[in-house]
Amino acid sequence: MTTNTMQLSGGLEVPLVGLGLWKIAIDDAPRIIAQAVADGYRHLDSACDYGNEPAVGAGLASVLRSKTVRREQLWVTSKLWNTYHEPQHVRPAIERTLRDLGLDYLDLYLIHFPVAQAFVPFEERYPPGWSADPGHPERGIRPIRVPVAETWGAMEEIVRAGLTRTIGVSNFGVSLLRDLLSYAAIRPAMLQVELHPFLAQEKLLRFCREERIGVTGFSPLGAGSYVPLGMAKPEDSVLGQPVVRQIAESHGRSPAQIVLRWGVGRGTAVIPKTSRPERLRENLAIFDFELTPDEMRSISALDRHHRYNDPGVFCEAAFHTFY
């Protein structure tokens, strides 16, 4: 039976199932955090760009005051937004996140995208988002030229300062990872990317296994989070695929549990998002059964190489900038 944690190259252990906090409503976040921790979640995935870190912090403060868990029992991830890639902005960015979350340190801090945008001061707009001018999104995105090496050097400094236990990247491919590994004094411990049966990314996972980089899959259930944004259609759901439904029926499980079990069975962590108490429990209850090798292969065969979270699509559609 699969263990419920992943060991990173430095020896840190990450719970394989976490709660993704993207699109968790501000008013709901404190309650959901408290419920998730009560249900057994110890891995929370946050980001400046989600716009709800103060509310997440209120939930964390509540559970830590109640002594339901100790801080060291939680794994909390957050991310450096695109507008803070210049080295002088990296430490202030994580310090703002820590204030919002009410924490002294993070367990993992990721570069959110390999995309550098013009700096936006906190007092002007926070979180800054993608658009250079949200009041006039047709004015587009303001990219700047900042080498990943410069941003990464500042990321290493926040590890040395004790602000985060480890660092990593999100939305990077093999070529960028290969380049990063050529100069990193502190190697990336984790890669977070979109992963689901329609985007299996087998070669990327193989590369990360060889380099001992942990992998977390966001949007592990596929299209669901993107339908309300107009970035997917309801019929795109992997949960309605006949092979997934057949496997779910044979195990007496939900289709979502089967897809999440497929994710952890590949050696990746998964961070499904939900605001529903019954789904919180369901998404965590995947460690008392296994999929057969044939079942794993049949789900992997659904791969369409289809990415929902693609800046090359949504930046032009929403912000009039091909990025």
Side-chain angles (χ1 to χ4, degrees), residues 15-47:
L16 282 173
V17 178
L19 176 62
L21 298 172
W22 181 47
K23 295 179 65 185
I24 296 288
I26 290 171
D27 290 344
D28 293 338
R31 170 186 59 81
I32 292 168
I33 295 296
Q35 183 66 58
V37 171
D39 288 341
Y41 283 83
R42 298 295 181 265
H43 176 178
L44 303 172
D45 184 83
S46 184

Side-chain angles (χ1 to χ4, degrees), residues 182-230:
S182 72
Y183 55 76
I186 299 176
R187 291 166 57 91
M190 183 75 79
L191 167 69
Q192 186 177 127
V193 288
E194 182 180 339
L195 281 180
H196 46 74
F198 289 165
L199 185 66
Q201 307 223 58
E202 296 285 358
K203 292 179 182 178
L204 179 59
L205 292 191
R206 179 175 176 178
F207 177 82
C208 288
R209 280 193 294 268
E210 290 178 353
E211 292 292 341
R212 298 187 67 203
I213 299 171
V215 177
T216 297
F218 70 76
S219 301
L221 299 176
S225 292
Y226 301 98
V227 172
L229 301 176

Side-chain angles (χ1 to χ4, degrees), residues 81-213:
W81 186 240
N82 306 341
T83 51
Y84 308 129
H85 277 219
E86 291 171 288
Q88 68 269 28
H89 301 311
V90 172
R91 181 162 181 161
I94 190 174
E95 288 175 338
R96 172 63 187 260
T97 276
L98 289 170
R99 286 198 302 273
D100 287 347
L101 294 175
L103 300 176
D104 295 326
Y105 66 91
L106 294 175
D107 298 280
L108 175 64
Y109 198 51
L110 304 174
I111 297 177
H112 203 149
F113 282 92
V115 171
Q117 295 176 241
F119 174 64
V120 178
F122 296 155
E123 60 272 17
E124 180 178 325
R125 190 170 69 250
Y126 190 87
W130 285 90
S131 178
D133 186 349
H136 300 278
E138 69 278 1
R139 294 178 184 171
I141 295 169
R142 290 178 57 201
I144 58 174
R145 296 186 177 184
V146 182
V148 173
E150 292 185 7
T151 307
W152 191 255
M155 294 282 283
E156 292 174 337
E157 287 301 317
I158 61 174
V159 177
R160 298 183 185 111
L163 299 176
T164 182
R165 297 169 77 197
T166 194
I167 50 178
V169 294
S170 183
N171 296 296
F172 276 47
V174 168
S175 295
L176 278 172
L177 285 171
R178 211 181 273 282
D179 183 65
L180 175 56
L181 291 169
S182 72
Y183 55 76
I186 299 176
R187 291 166 57 91
M190 183 75 79
L191 167 69
Q192 186 177 127
V193 288
E194 182 180 339
L195 281 180
H196 46 74
F198 289 165
L199 185 66
Q201 307 223 58
E202 296 285 358
K203 292 179 182 178
L204 179 59
L205 292 191
R206 179 175 176 178
F207 177 82
C208 288
R209 280 193 294 268
E210 290 178 353
E211 292 292 341
R212 298 187 67 203
I213 299 171

